[in-house]
């Protein structure tokens, strides 16, 4: 018999009462010990979904999830540390560029990422499109690699916030996903557990993001920051546009190629610009550089090739084949590439980024269930951006397919709405929350 | 994959949409087929608890539960049949007296009862405190026993409204009990399935009942009657007081002992009086006696010892040891009996019957999870009633415990509020709904 009566705990939230931190911690701990079954947790999740958790409860839930597993600490390595978390978008390959770039500036980046689920891609899936790349490291190996090259990019091991993993899976099947006070503890507990001293949040906003409105995204950003700070870490956020895919490439191997292009000084302007802004923020927030110095430091590290060299070291350190990223044509490529053309002339007014993300899942580039295998080769290259003027027959995008698929081409075309215009190009950084 | 997406069904109620009868039937049927797990049903239960089911949904849920299993029909036995259902209170042992009494008057009583739910005791748990008593009978054995002695008292077999059994157990452990639109389908589906032609509802009202106010209780009584009539059965109800435990005994074996006392012509006046009123109503509603004749018939059957003899026959027929009920000291008894005394002089103004019921659960006399074992010996004897004048040190109750427990004594004492008075003794029958 647990100390806490789970029926009483459920009843409290059902009746709009506020949980104590001790009760929340015990409820989560007893669930992890399997003393409280899924069916009581899901009843509580629905009660909390409908009746809410206040700020103190959100902080307590975060702590409870954090303390359900191990926490890393890299202070003995004697360098500042930082990490970034994105709430998920389409074409968001920033982490792959950012982690080696920030490491090249002397800041440790102990990055723990997830797999793609739903319409958004996952950093782990992108990394695993590099032949040989391993995304699981034992803690000792993480420490040694972090000490040597300043960056690791791994998946969430079974002992990092394990209660979050259980609750995340239960929320998915009980329609209790879309609540800020569930989302914030899930993100922050994992990020704090990985041991970075400074956390930067990239809160996506728009048609391809979970947060559709600026107000919701800004509110989420503020809550992420305040809960992170309540746990003794520095935090800041950028609310960024996700009304169209970030950059050009969407799909695992295609996004790695775009990553390489940016690290070598090229690539799409929006990817480069957002990476530099987030990197500078990680430097200043972690204390590695002043707010004035940080932008110059990161730009220099990118343009000098230091970030690119660090990326190659990272690939090599985690078992990836360096030739696959150093050599043109080294990454897996789809056998079929077909253009998606404009049916009419006009101005590109909106892009249904959510549908584009779902399309990539549908052609094999993501997963609908966590057991699904991902085809690293497939995806699309987005050639036009919101506000662009197009002629009939212009190429809007190219689809990279495992096999011919006329339906996919039509579905892709329907994601681009062309009208009379004018349509303003969205601002990339919508709001800076420090 | 079921036809119905359970996540979508949960989301509909979460977002306050109305379910179609077809969707409700399919949700219940898929749960019964184990295609939908407990944790999704409990999330739906909490969503419906908080967001409601309307009258059409309530009738549809009743039908879905009823049609999840078999239905009995006793018309070929050629006698009127009736049953009573209580919405649950503290110390409510009426069924144990009523069923043999009504059978002794020539009316078939095919009584299917439940286990303790929440803070209230369950008839099955009480019966099972009689050594050897079996609360499961095969349908053929039920029919034969009903034909021979006119009464069976059994648990809900696996094929009688089986979906209700699953949901009832799940509601108990997820704090989703106290809603009219769950209570009515649960009660009516079982009562209609067991095949009685007339159904009498004892709707409890007060601090120890699910319904705290007279208005709520009368509303529940009317809904029980209207849903029962919509399924072609006769129905009536009594709203009765539950601001203090019914009778003296609370706890399984203790209540059986009080049952014996009433059947032998003694026992607390309130228990005797309510049993006689409900029995007379069952006789008149089933057509076995006129409204004028019924009270005399039942009083005679009780005072002549016919009801007591029928009870002993029932115990014997279902495997119980007749000596355990015929002999003083035949029932299991707790090793520790401690008095709960008044801390001050005054008038007993209120009894927190809910807390007393919870106290009995806490000392082992009820269950918090469906797997919990019940200790038949424990409970309490309530020695003072609302309106009584007490002196400091007077015994308010005796606790029957498995082991010493000073905390339980203090918690029991706190349930009796003694003030300056005066306090009126509550009316036992609050409203008659025919």
């Amino acid at each position: 018999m647990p100390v806490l009566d789970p029926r009483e705990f459920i009843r409290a939230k059902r009746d709009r009462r506020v949980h104590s931190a001790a009760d929340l911690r015990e409820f989560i701990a007893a669930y992890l010990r399997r003393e409280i079954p899924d069916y009581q947790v899901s009843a509580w999740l629905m009660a909390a979904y409908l009746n809410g958790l206040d700020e103190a409860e959100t902080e307590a839930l975060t702590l409870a999830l954090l303390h359900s597993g191990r926490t890393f600490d890299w202070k003995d390595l004697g360098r500042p540390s930082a990490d970034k978390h994105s709430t998920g978008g389409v074409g968001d390959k920033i982490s792959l560029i950012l982690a080696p770039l920030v490491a090249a500036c002397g800041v440790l980046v102990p990055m723990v990422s997830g797999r793609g689920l739903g319409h958004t891609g996952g950093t782990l899936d992108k990394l695993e499109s590099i032949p040989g790349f391993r995304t699981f490291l034992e803690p000792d190996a993480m420490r040694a690699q972090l000490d040597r090259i300043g960056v690791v990019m791994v998946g969430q091991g079974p002992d990092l916030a394990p209660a979050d993993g259980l609750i995340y899976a239960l929320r998915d099947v009980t329609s209790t996903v879309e609540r800020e006070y569930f989302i914030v503890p899930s993100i922050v507990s994992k990020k704090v557990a990985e041991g970075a001293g400074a956390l930067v949040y990239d809160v996506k906003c728009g048609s391809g993001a979970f947060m559709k409105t600026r107000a919701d995204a800004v509110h989420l950003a503020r809550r992420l920051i305040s809960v992170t700070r309540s746990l003794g870490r520095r935090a800041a956020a950028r609310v960024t546009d996700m009304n169209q895919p970030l950059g050009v490439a969407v799909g695992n191997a295609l996004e790695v190629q775009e990553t390489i292009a940016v690290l070598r000084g090229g690539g799409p302007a929006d990817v480069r610009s957002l990476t530099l802004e987030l990197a500078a923020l990680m430097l200043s927030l972690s204390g590695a550089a002043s707010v004035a110095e940080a932008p110059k430091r990161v730009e220099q590290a990118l343009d000098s090739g230091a970030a690119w060299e660090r990326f190659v070291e990272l690939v090599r350190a985690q078992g990836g084949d360096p030739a696959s990223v150093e050599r043109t044509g080294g990454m897996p490529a789809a056998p079929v590439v077909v253009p998606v053309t404009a049916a009419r002339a006009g101005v590109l007014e909106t892009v249904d980024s959510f549908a584009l993300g779902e399309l990539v899942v549908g052609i094999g580039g993501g997963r609908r269930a966590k057991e699904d295998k991902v085809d690293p080769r497939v995806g699309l290259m987005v050639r036009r951006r919101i506000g662009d003027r197009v002629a009939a027959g212009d190429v809007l995008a190219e689809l990279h397919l495992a096999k011919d698929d006329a339906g996919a081409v039509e579905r892709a075309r329907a994601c681009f709405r062309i009208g009379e215009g004018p349509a303003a190009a969205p601002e990339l950084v919508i709001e800076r929350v420090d």
Side-chain angles (χ1 to χ4, degrees), chain A:
Chain A
M1 175 82 68
V3 178
L4 183 84
D5 179 348
R7 294 184 314 166
E8 176 50 37
F9 185 80
I10 297 166
R11 189 182 301 131
K13 189 46 65 187
R14 182 197 79 185
D15 296 344
R16 298 183 164 275
R17 297 203 296 275
V18 174
H19 296 305
S20 72
D23 279 357
L24 265 163
R25 188 171 58 238
E26 177 54 19
F27 185 70
I28 298 298
Y31 179 43
L32 191 65
R33 293 193 304 264
R34 290 307 193 174
E35 291 168 13
I36 298 179
D38 286 340
Y39 55 76
Q40 289 185 316
V41 176
S42 66
W44 177 77
L45 284 169
M46 182 57 79
Y49 184 100
L50 290 171
N51 287 340
L53 297 180
D54 69 17
E55 296 200 5
E57 288 173 301
T58 307
E59 290 183 14
L61 178 58
T62 309
L63 258 178
L65 297 177
L66 173 65
H67 289 152
S68 73
R70 72 175 295 161
T71 53
F72 289 105
D73 186 334
W74 315 109
K75 292 200 191 78
D76 60 311
L77 297 179
R79 276 163 280 172
S81 60
D83 192 14
K84 183 232 31 165
H85 178 84
S86 157
T87 59
V90 177
D92 182 3
K93 69 284 293 177
I94 298 285
S95 288
L96 280 70
I97 314 164
L98 186 67
L101 169 58
V102 171
C105 297
V107 174
L108 299 175
V109 183
M111 189 180 278
V112 177
S113 301
R115 297 193 179 278
L117 193 58
H119 73 289
T120 68
T123 296
L124 292 188
D125 295 325
K126 293 169 195 174
L127 289 168
E128 287 176 356
S129 73
I130 300 169
F133 198 100
R134 287 191 307 263
T135 53
F136 179 75
L137 292 179
E138 294 291 347
D140 285 350
M142 276 179 69
R143 177 172 298 272
Q145 180 176 320
L146 210 49
D147 193 26
R148 189 165 57 81
I149 65 171
V151 56
V152 295
M153 296 188 80
V154 296
Q156 188 181 347
D159 51 359
L160 197 81
D164 175 65
L166 293 175
I167 287 177
Y168 190 93
L170 200 53
R171 281 168 55 215
D172 188 35
V173 292
T174 57
S175 297
T176 51
V177 172
E178 310 92 338
R179 281 293 189 259
E180 188 186 281
Y181 43 81
F182 291 150
I183 294 169
V184 168
S186 177
I187 293 171
V188 175
S189 63
K190 278 178 294 196
K191 285 286 138 185
V192 167
E194 70 181 43
L199 293 169
V200 167
Y201 296 106
D202 181 5
V203 178
K204 299 295 187 190
C205 177
S207 68
F210 293 116
M211 297 289 146
K212 305 299 180 196
T213 70
R214 179 179 178 144
D216 285 350
V218 170
H219 197 263
L220 176 61
R222 291 193 197 287
R223 294 296 297 139
L224 285 167
I225 291 171
S226 73
V227 174
T228 304
R229 287 180 181 158
S230 79
L231 297 176
R233 309 298 163 101
R234 278 157 284 169
R238 295 293 176 266
V239 175
T240 65
D241 181 68
M242 190 35 71
N243 283 300
Q244 55 192 337
L246 191 62
V248 173
V250 182
N252 296 300
L254 294 172
E255 292 189 46
V256 171
Q257 287 179 277
E258 190 163 288
T259 291
I260 295 166
V262 175
L263 283 165
R264 292 186 132 168
D270 59 339
V271 177
R272 176 182 163 92
S273 142
L274 183 54
T275 304
L276 286 171
E277 169 149 3
L278 294 172
L281 188 57
M282 286 167 74
L283 257 63
S284 60
L285 201 64
S286 68
S290 69
V291 171
E293 281 296 314
K296 285 176 266 179
R297 284 272 301 282
V298 295
E299 194 162 354
Q300 193 174 30
L302 187 60
D303 292 339
S304 69
W308 162 244
E309 283 162 29
R310 196 60 62 106
F311 178 74
V312 176
E313 280 185 86
L314 170 70
V315 169
R316 186 180 286 117
Q318 292 191 211
D321 176 10
S324 66
V325 296
E326 287 176 317
R327 209 185 58 218
T328 303
M331 290 293 293
V336 177
V337 179
V338 288
V340 178
T341 54
R344 54 164 287 188
V347 172
L348 180 55
E349 291 183 340
T350 64
V351 178
D352 186 342
S353 307
F354 179 85
L356 278 180
E358 286 281 332
L359 173 67
V360 172
V361 173
I363 60 176
R367 46 175 75 78
R368 295 200 195 282
K370 50 187 172 180
E371 304 76 23
D372 291 353
K373 291 271 271 185
V374 168
D375 184 343
R377 306 169 303 170
V378 305
L380 76 162
M381 300 294 280
V382 181
R383 297 301 182 189
R384 295 297 183 139
R385 303 194 67 72
I386 293 170
D388 285 1
R389 178 157 288 284
V390 298
D394 273 5
V395 173
L396 300 170
E398 290 125 18
L399 266 175
H400 290 237
L401 298 163
K403 57 177 197 292
D404 280 324
D405 184 346
V409 175
E410 282 315 307
R411 289 200 304 283
R413 197 193 317 274
C415 293
F416 295 86
R417 199 181 72 200
I418 297 165
E420 297 311 313
E427 282 293 316
L428 182 57
V429 177
I430 296 168
E431 191 146 335
R432 295 177 170 83
V433 189
D434 289 317

